[in-house]
Amino acid sequence: MNVLAIISATTMQDGRETGALAPLAGAPLLGRLLDRLTHAEKLVGIVVTTSDEPEDAPIRDFCAARGTPCQTGGRDDLIGRQLTAMAAAGAKGGISLDARNPLIDPALVTQVADLLQMTDGMLDWIGNTLAPAYPRGMEIDGFTAAALTEAEKRCGEPEQRRRGPAFLRENSRIYRPLSLKAPAEVARPDLRLGLESLADLPRLEAIFQSFAGRTDFTLAEIIAAADRLAAQ
């Protein structure tokens, strides 16, 4: 099963700036996540999905300048944009990521992609968001195109379509999920490593700067760096 990484990126959500293009260590958050994903394996490709609204034009322009595929569509139709992106790439599996999580560990992405390939349709959803134990900002939803296509027929409410593959993990009586547990050394649900507000940028900047230009640092290294910075 070929697996496509799909990054959701918008400049605004619920009337608030989300900061997908906010500067982080000299590059936009979205660019930092794309850099991190170059170290992930088992992927057929990486695509950014955003809306076709005027306010998201900077994201579309950024992707065009970088040469990154960008799938557009309705702002509140993430599930539709993801399915269109997967069809364009000929992907049978997808991994949903958020541009506001630039520290995502490529090893986690590889793990989910590998499991999707090994199970080859026997599971509908694989991820770490069903029983959160990883630090916030490490959220991954892996799914099959077949399951998401079936789910789209059930998602009639705007909120359901906006949340994409969340419908799969929230309906375990219908779909077959696999919830990944965090190893003890990285089980830190108390730690916030994503951009939940623009006030988080200085802390994320400090973590990135501590790796002196590296983009291949692991989650264990991130946690150690965050703890060191918090103790200063």
Side-chain angles (χ1 to χ4, degrees):
M1 176 181 290
N2 48 1
V3 179
L4 179 71
I6 309 171
I7 303 172
S8 175
T10 59
T11 55
M12 301 289 291
Q13 185 171 328
D14 297 329
R16 295 179 295 126
E17 185 177 357
T18 61
L21 293 182
L24 180 64
L29 260 71
L30 176 57
R32 289 301 179 194
L33 177 55
L34 287 167
D35 290 341
R36 293 277 283 155
L37 290 180
T38 62
H39 302 288
E41 302 175 0
K42 309 287 185 175
L43 297 176
V44 70
I46 302 168
V47 63
V48 173
T49 180
T50 191
S51 84
D52 49 17
E53 299 291 333
E55 55 263 39
D56 285 325
I59 292 175
R60 301 192 294 270
D61 292 343
F62 174 79
C63 291
R66 187 178 171 115
T68 300
C70 183
Q71 178 62 55
T72 63
R75 171 177 294 282
D76 294 326
D77 190 18
L78 175 59
I79 194 168
R81 285 186 274 127
Q82 289 179 327
L83 283 172
T84 301
M86 293 175 74
K92 297 294 182 66
I95 294 179
S96 183
L97 304 167
D98 194 314
R100 294 170 295 178
N101 295 334
L103 288 169
I104 196 80
D105 191 340
L108 291 176
V109 177
T110 299
Q111 179 186 14
V112 174
D114 193 37
L115 286 169
L116 283 168
Q117 291 176 350
M118 287 193 300
T119 55
D120 195 25
M122 291 185 290
L123 295 171
D124 298 315
W125 176 91
I126 302 171
N128 61 6
T129 53
L130 194 57
Y134 283 94
R136 284 149 61 183
M138 291 292 139
E139 292 83 4
I140 297 177
D141 287 293
F143 52 91
T144 66
L148 196 64
T149 298
E150 198 279 337
E152 184 188 28
K153 300 173 184 176
R154 300 175 183 266
C155 292
E157 298 297 325
E159 179 63 18
Q160 292 174 325
R161 300 191 67 83
R162 181 169 64 179
R163 299 180 65 224
F167 187 83
L168 300 175
R169 58 175 149 85
E170 293 170 354
N171 290 275
S172 58
R173 293 184 179 181
I174 304 173
Y175 305 104
R176 299 161 296 180
L178 174 63
S179 180
L180 302 180
K181 295 182 179 180
E185 63 271 18
V186 295
R188 289 285 303 275
D190 60 298
L191 189 59
R192 193 170 75 246
L193 297 176
L195 185 79
E196 297 181 20
S197 76
L198 294 183
D200 293 322
L201 278 173
R203 179 167 41 81
L204 297 181
E205 174 90 15
I207 292 173
F208 259 94
Q209 295 289 10
S210 71
F211 293 106
R214 283 178 55 203
T215 58
D216 61 346
F217 43 88
T218 67
L219 177 53
E221 289 179 296
I222 294 170
I223 292 172
D227 287 344
R228 284 196 305 269
L229 291 166
Q232 291 178 359

